[in-house]
Amino acid sequence: MPAQRLTPAALAALPATLPAWTLREGRLHREFRFADFSAAFGFMTRVALAAEQLGHHPDWSNVWNRVSITLSTHDLGALSDLDVELARRIDVLAG
Ligand code: H2B
């Protein structure tokens, strides 16, 4: 399924749609902190499986118990419905 660029209305609604995420230079951003590295890496593994399932992948980094995630659609150079769907799945996995 090709990514659909978010409409201006969907962009304006993002703070309500994904309240835990912030917009940074046109991309979605969220930071996570876990008890330790094992918990952080377990979370990343679950996110990786969700990303593979969607065919849409995060830009991310990990420092011990912290995971920093940025989402955008590289193919479009914009945010798409796939970024919103991946963010939703990440929120569920984060608990
Ligand atoms: N992930 C993200 N974040 N943006 C993309 O444009 C993208 C992707 N494209 N994962 C996918 C892979 C594409 O390159 C492959 C061919 O499906």
Side-chain angles (χ1 to χ4, degrees):
M1 175 184 53
Q4 300 294 321
R5 183 185 288 257
L6 290 189
T7 63
L11 275 174
L14 277 177
T17 312
L18 295 169
W21 295 76
T22 55
L23 265 181
R24 261 196 198 177
E25 296 174 353
R27 305 188 298 170
L28 285 168
H29 183 79
R30 185 173 174 190
E31 306 213 346
F32 300 85
R33 188 177 292 258
F34 298 91
D36 53 24
F37 176 76
S38 180
F41 201 80
F43 167 72
M44 293 177 79
T45 304
R46 290 185 282 277
V47 171
L49 294 173
E52 270 299 276
Q53 200 177 38
L54 269 181
H56 195 70
H57 304 86
D59 298 357
W60 58 2
S61 63
N62 158 241
V63 179
W64 188 53
N65 68 336
R66 288 182 285 127
V67 179
S68 172
I69 300 184
T70 302
L71 302 177
S72 69
T73 301
H74 309 142
D75 294 345
L76 296 177
L79 286 174
S80 74
D81 56 340
L82 292 181
D83 296 305
V84 173
E85 181 57 27
L86 183 55
R88 280 210 178 99
R89 294 189 191 192
I90 290 171
D91 283 347
V92 171
L93 291 171

Short mmCIF file of all heavy atoms in Angstrom, two decimals, residues 1-2 7 12-14 19 22 24 26 29 32 34-35 39-40 47 57 61 63 65 68 75 79 82 86 91-92:
data_model
loop_
_atom_site.label_atom_id
_atom_site.label_comp_id
_atom_site.label_asym_id
_atom_site.label_seq_id
_atom_site.Cartn_x
_atom_site.Cartn_y
_atom_site.Cartn_z
N MET A 1 0.87 -1.20 0.00
CA MET A 1 0.00 0.00 0.00
C MET A 1 0.90 1.24 0.00
O MET A 1 1.71 1.42 0.91
CB MET A 1 -0.88 -0.03 1.26
CG MET A 1 -1.74 1.20 1.44
SD MET A 1 -2.66 1.18 2.99
CE MET A 1 -1.41 0.88 4.21
N PRO A 2 0.79 2.10 -1.04
CA PRO A 2 1.66 3.28 -1.06
C PRO A 2 1.30 4.26 0.05
O PRO A 2 0.12 4.39 0.42
CB PRO A 2 1.39 3.89 -2.45
CG PRO A 2 0.09 3.33 -2.90
CD PRO A 2 -0.12 2.03 -2.19
N THR A 7 -2.83 15.13 4.81
CA THR A 7 -3.48 16.36 4.35
C THR A 7 -3.19 17.48 5.35
O THR A 7 -2.84 17.21 6.51
CB THR A 7 -5.00 16.17 4.27
OG1 THR A 7 -5.46 15.90 5.60
CG2 THR A 7 -5.39 15.03 3.34
N ALA A 12 -2.76 19.29 10.98
CA ALA A 12 -3.21 20.20 12.05
C ALA A 12 -3.77 19.41 13.23
O ALA A 12 -3.71 19.87 14.38
CB ALA A 12 -4.26 21.15 11.50
N ALA A 13 -4.29 18.21 12.96
CA ALA A 13 -4.90 17.40 14.02
C ALA A 13 -3.89 16.53 14.76
O ALA A 13 -4.25 15.85 15.74
CB ALA A 13 -5.99 16.51 13.42
N LEU A 14 -2.62 16.55 14.34
CA LEU A 14 -1.63 15.64 14.94
C LEU A 14 -1.51 15.74 16.47
O LEU A 14 -1.38 14.71 17.13
CB LEU A 14 -0.26 15.84 14.29
CG LEU A 14 -0.07 15.08 12.97
CD1 LEU A 14 1.29 15.42 12.37
CD2 LEU A 14 -0.21 13.58 13.16
N PRO A 19 -0.87 12.57 20.89
CA PRO A 19 -0.49 13.58 21.88
C PRO A 19 0.91 13.39 22.48
O PRO A 19 1.50 14.35 22.98
CB PRO A 19 -1.58 13.45 22.96
CG PRO A 19 -2.31 12.19 22.68
CD PRO A 19 -2.10 11.85 21.25
N THR A 22 5.88 14.96 19.29
CA THR A 22 6.02 16.36 18.93
C THR A 22 6.47 16.45 17.47
O THR A 22 7.10 15.53 16.95
CB THR A 22 7.05 17.06 19.83
OG1 THR A 22 8.28 16.35 19.78
CG2 THR A 22 6.57 17.12 21.26
N ARG A 24 8.97 17.94 14.91
CA ARG A 24 10.31 18.53 14.87
C ARG A 24 10.74 18.58 13.42
O ARG A 24 10.96 17.54 12.81
CB ARG A 24 11.30 17.62 15.60
CG ARG A 24 11.60 18.03 17.00
CD ARG A 24 12.86 17.27 17.42
NE ARG A 24 12.98 17.28 18.86
CZ ARG A 24 13.94 16.67 19.52
NH1 ARG A 24 14.85 15.97 18.87
NH2 ARG A 24 13.99 16.72 20.82
N GLY A 26 9.14 19.08 10.81
CA GLY A 26 8.23 18.35 9.92
C GLY A 26 8.23 16.85 10.12
O GLY A 26 7.65 16.12 9.32
N HIS A 29 8.42 13.12 16.54
CA HIS A 29 9.51 12.76 17.45
C HIS A 29 8.96 12.37 18.83
O HIS A 29 8.06 13.01 19.34
CB HIS A 29 10.47 13.93 17.60
CG HIS A 29 11.64 13.59 18.46
ND1 HIS A 29 12.71 12.87 17.99
CD2 HIS A 29 11.89 13.83 19.77
CE1 HIS A 29 13.56 12.69 18.97
NE2 HIS A 29 13.09 13.26 20.07
N PHE A 32 11.80 7.87 24.71
CA PHE A 32 11.36 6.86 25.67
C PHE A 32 12.49 6.58 26.66
O PHE A 32 13.67 6.62 26.28
CB PHE A 32 11.01 5.55 24.96
CG PHE A 32 9.91 5.70 23.94
CD1 PHE A 32 10.21 6.10 22.64
CD2 PHE A 32 8.59 5.45 24.27
CE1 PHE A 32 9.21 6.24 21.70
CE2 PHE A 32 7.59 5.59 23.33
CZ PHE A 32 7.89 6.00 22.04
N PHE A 34 13.50 3.66 29.73
CA PHE A 34 13.14 2.36 30.31
C PHE A 34 13.98 2.09 31.56
O PHE A 34 14.88 2.87 31.88
CB PHE A 34 13.34 1.26 29.26
CG PHE A 34 12.45 1.45 28.06
CD1 PHE A 34 12.89 2.17 26.96
CD2 PHE A 34 11.15 0.95 28.04
CE1 PHE A 34 12.06 2.39 25.86
CE2 PHE A 34 10.32 1.15 26.95
CZ PHE A 34 10.77 1.87 25.86
N ALA A 35 13.69 0.96 32.21
CA ALA A 35 14.40 0.64 33.45
C ALA A 35 15.89 0.40 33.19
O ALA A 35 16.74 0.77 34.01
CB ALA A 35 13.78 -0.60 34.10
N ALA A 39 15.38 -3.66 28.80
CA ALA A 39 14.00 -3.23 28.53
C ALA A 39 13.96 -2.35 27.28
O ALA A 39 13.04 -2.47 26.46
CB ALA A 39 13.46 -2.48 29.74
N ALA A 40 14.94 -1.46 27.13
CA ALA A 40 14.97 -0.58 25.96
C ALA A 40 15.14 -1.41 24.68
O ALA A 40 14.45 -1.18 23.68
CB ALA A 40 16.11 0.43 26.09
N VAL A 47 9.35 -2.96 18.22
CA VAL A 47 9.10 -1.91 17.22
C VAL A 47 9.64 -2.34 15.86
O VAL A 47 9.00 -2.12 14.82
CB VAL A 47 9.74 -0.57 17.66
CG1 VAL A 47 9.69 0.45 16.53
CG2 VAL A 47 9.03 -0.03 18.90
N HIS A 57 9.78 2.27 8.44
CA HIS A 57 10.79 2.10 9.47
C HIS A 57 11.17 3.41 10.18
O HIS A 57 11.17 4.47 9.54
CB HIS A 57 12.04 1.48 8.84
CG HIS A 57 11.73 0.18 8.15
ND1 HIS A 57 11.29 0.13 6.85
CD2 HIS A 57 11.71 -1.09 8.60
CE1 HIS A 57 11.04 -1.13 6.51
NE2 HIS A 57 11.29 -1.90 7.56
N SER A 61 17.67 6.12 17.72
CA SER A 61 18.94 5.86 18.37
C SER A 61 18.66 5.38 19.79
O SER A 61 17.58 5.61 20.34
CB SER A 61 19.82 7.11 18.38
OG SER A 61 19.21 8.13 19.13
N VAL A 63 20.61 4.99 23.70
CA VAL A 63 21.72 5.15 24.64
C VAL A 63 21.27 4.48 25.93
O VAL A 63 20.36 4.97 26.61
CB VAL A 63 22.06 6.63 24.89
CG1 VAL A 63 23.19 6.75 25.91
CG2 VAL A 63 22.43 7.33 23.59
N ASN A 65 19.36 3.13 28.46
CA ASN A 65 17.93 2.90 28.73
C ASN A 65 17.03 3.87 27.97
O ASN A 65 15.84 3.91 28.20
CB ASN A 65 17.64 3.00 30.23
CG ASN A 65 17.82 4.42 30.76
OD1 ASN A 65 18.56 5.21 30.18
ND2 ASN A 65 17.17 4.73 31.85
N SER A 68 15.34 7.13 21.25
CA SER A 68 14.86 8.35 20.60
C SER A 68 14.36 7.96 19.21
O SER A 68 15.10 7.32 18.45
CB SER A 68 16.04 9.33 20.53
OG SER A 68 15.69 10.43 19.76
N ASP A 75 10.41 8.38 1.25
CA ASP A 75 10.04 8.34 -0.17
C ASP A 75 9.28 9.59 -0.60
O ASP A 75 9.32 9.96 -1.78
CB ASP A 75 9.17 7.11 -0.47
CG ASP A 75 9.92 5.78 -0.28
OD1 ASP A 75 11.16 5.82 -0.20
OD2 ASP A 75 9.27 4.74 -0.20
N LEU A 79 5.36 13.74 5.95
CA LEU A 79 4.67 12.80 6.83
C LEU A 79 3.54 12.13 6.06
O LEU A 79 2.88 12.77 5.23
CB LEU A 79 4.11 13.52 8.05
CG LEU A 79 5.13 13.94 9.10
CD1 LEU A 79 4.46 14.78 10.18
CD2 LEU A 79 5.82 12.73 9.71
N LEU A 82 1.43 6.29 7.02
CA LEU A 82 2.25 5.21 7.60
C LEU A 82 3.00 5.68 8.84
O LEU A 82 3.22 4.90 9.78
CB LEU A 82 3.23 4.67 6.56
CG LEU A 82 2.61 3.90 5.39
CD1 LEU A 82 3.69 3.41 4.44
CD2 LEU A 82 1.76 2.73 5.90
N LEU A 86 2.54 3.85 12.33
CA LEU A 86 3.69 3.32 13.08
C LEU A 86 3.76 3.97 14.47
O LEU A 86 4.02 3.28 15.46
CB LEU A 86 4.98 3.56 12.30
CG LEU A 86 6.26 3.01 12.93
CD1 LEU A 86 6.15 1.50 13.23
CD2 LEU A 86 7.47 3.28 12.04
N ASP A 91 3.24 3.52 20.31
CA ASP A 91 2.60 3.92 21.58
C ASP A 91 2.04 2.70 22.31
O ASP A 91 2.17 2.58 23.53
CB ASP A 91 1.47 4.92 21.30
CG ASP A 91 1.99 6.33 21.01
OD1 ASP A 91 3.19 6.60 21.25
OD2 ASP A 91 1.19 7.16 20.54
N VAL A 92 1.42 1.80 21.56
CA VAL A 92 0.86 0.59 22.18
C VAL A 92 1.99 -0.26 22.76
O VAL A 92 1.90 -0.75 23.90
CB VAL A 92 0.04 -0.23 21.16
CG1 VAL A 92 -0.35 -1.58 21.72
CG2 VAL A 92 -1.21 0.56 20.72
#
